[in-house]
Amino acid sequence: MQNTSEIRLLADKIRRDVIQMIGCEGQTGHLGGSCSSAEILATLYGGRLKFKPDDPKWEGRDKFLYSKGHAAIAQYAVMAEMGYFPKEKLWTVKQLGAMLQGHPDRLKTPGVEAGTGSLGQGLSIAVGMALEMKLDKHYDNRVYCVMGDGEMAEGQIWEAAMAAVNFKLDNLVGIVDRNTLQATGFIEERFNTNPLSEKWKGFGWHVIEIDGHDVNALLDAYEEAYHTPGKPTVIIANTVKGKGVSFAEGKAAFHNCSLTKEQYDTALAEVDARIAELSKN
Amino acid sequence: MERHSQRVAYGETIVELGAENPNVVALEADLGKSTMSTLFQQAYPERYFEMGIAEADMISTAAGLAASGKIAFCSTFAVFAAGRAYDQIRQTVAIGKLNVKICGSSSGLSDFGDGSTHQAVEDVAIMTAIPNLTVFTPADADEVRLAVRAAAEIEGPVYIRVVRNDLPTYTKGEFKPGKLSILRPGNDVAIIAHGVMVEAAMNAADILEAKGISACVVNASTMKPFDSEGVQQLAQQVKAIVTAEDHSRIGGLASHVALALRQSSTPMDYVAIDDRFGQSAHSAKELMEYYGLTAEAIVDKAIALLD
């Protein structure tokens, strides 16, 4: 487990990897939703999840599902940083025959638990994994499922929300990366999925709402979820789409984008400055 | 001839599998009294998950269980499995080659009373179009038992098509996944059928025999991977081929056989549901007759091809 400053550093390393994966040669990638998830992923992989990168099927592991699978490059980044595969593999993302597909693929990428990205389905898969953990008495383990707030429009999310409460899955933690933007603009102005906390409470979940870029708040929320019995916990993580790349922050245009050379250099320079600062500590 | 329930065969077989393997689990979407998954619920309540009336969620949940090492049997009506849960089967189960076994129950027109919304006339087309998925279409209760056992042995997803009404037993205790099986030898015409239409095919062979025509009846109980080679070999042994299915002519047995015979000189024709939905009726027999899914229809097609 890493300390909080290491986790902050990891989050910016994820951002750096994501920017490099997108590059500036015409390829596109989901920059906005990857950057909004960076602290969530960094706290999970760096500070919470039990796993062994060299033994991805290790029985004692916790399970992680990135239901917002379009931001797969962020998951690949954190997995590479944690040692699941060499970092060089990141630069092959979406190449023909690559182990890193546009959306997570369990057969191609060791450590990916299940395919996600047809939005709305990850939480149901997580329910299945949580049921197995109960059946097989892995009581110390948890399933963490990161969803998008645009994804909240998918009806299956709420089917799974009911199922998780029905089965009293206190070993299941949902995390909503609430960056307030979907592909075409502000969620509130398009198909309003708010209010979220009230909805999840109404469905019977334990709800924790926090700043999704606050590493300590995230770690505390996981701890609170771990010790909340009898029902599942959802963490509404308020985030900024494109966080950490100033020109992309809060802009739907960077949901799935390519980068000009200038944008690329600016983005890397901003992230590198923070990495240099954090590395001093 | 004595008739037996494919649904009961399904329920009893998953109970047997549950006894043999603690990793077998079952999921249901409130149709357990029809699909007979309730038998598993009675035997292994801790391994049975009533997922509510939420078929899509059921399939994804089964995917999660399967990704965690379970063999997850899901049952619902065929129309909901192949229709409502198509995306869940495709995206997570099939792409991920997960050990999810889907029982599409009350398939074809067999749920005669409930009408078009509950009658799956295109499930084979949809399911066979998905890569990585195995599709079984057993002919009777005995074959359901063998198909369910075979499904449990296969590493990966399987769709098993089951009908609602009791069927006579024509299979002989042998089930080879991926292979056509000959139920009755003959050398003038081959009738290839699956599911409920095997009975019509057997009756058609009797009628043809009385007219001096020797009909071979072939059971196509695996629709994927489809035994195209078996069809091609058959085409060399007979003068004509007729297919029979309680399914749309598009994407089912007729389509698969026509594709297999694309370079053959042996003529083929089909008995299938035209490109339209079902409807309610007071009996399955009445409905099958209305849609032309009868022994007589098979006989007519066979004679027309042989003339």
Side-chain angles (χ1 to χ4, degrees), chain B residues 42-92:
Chain B
Q42 287 155 23
Y44 304 106
E46 73 289 352
R47 280 190 267 156
Y48 181 85
F49 303 105
E50 173 54 71
M51 297 306 299
I53 307 164
E55 298 79 10
D57 182 52
M58 170 175 75
I59 295 292
S60 300
T61 303
L65 282 155
S68 303
K70 300 296 172 188
I71 301 172
F73 280 87
C74 301
S75 44
T76 180
F77 285 2
V79 76
F80 306 130
R84 195 179 200 114
Y86 164 78
D87 191 52
Q88 289 69 20
I89 295 172
R90 181 196 187 279
Q91 303 289 5
T92 310

Side-chain angles (χ1 to χ4, degrees), chain A residues 150-164:
Chain A
E151 189 180 9
M152 298 294 107
E154 291 278 7
Q156 192 180 335
I157 290 284
W158 305 102
E159 295 180 8
M162 282 187 278

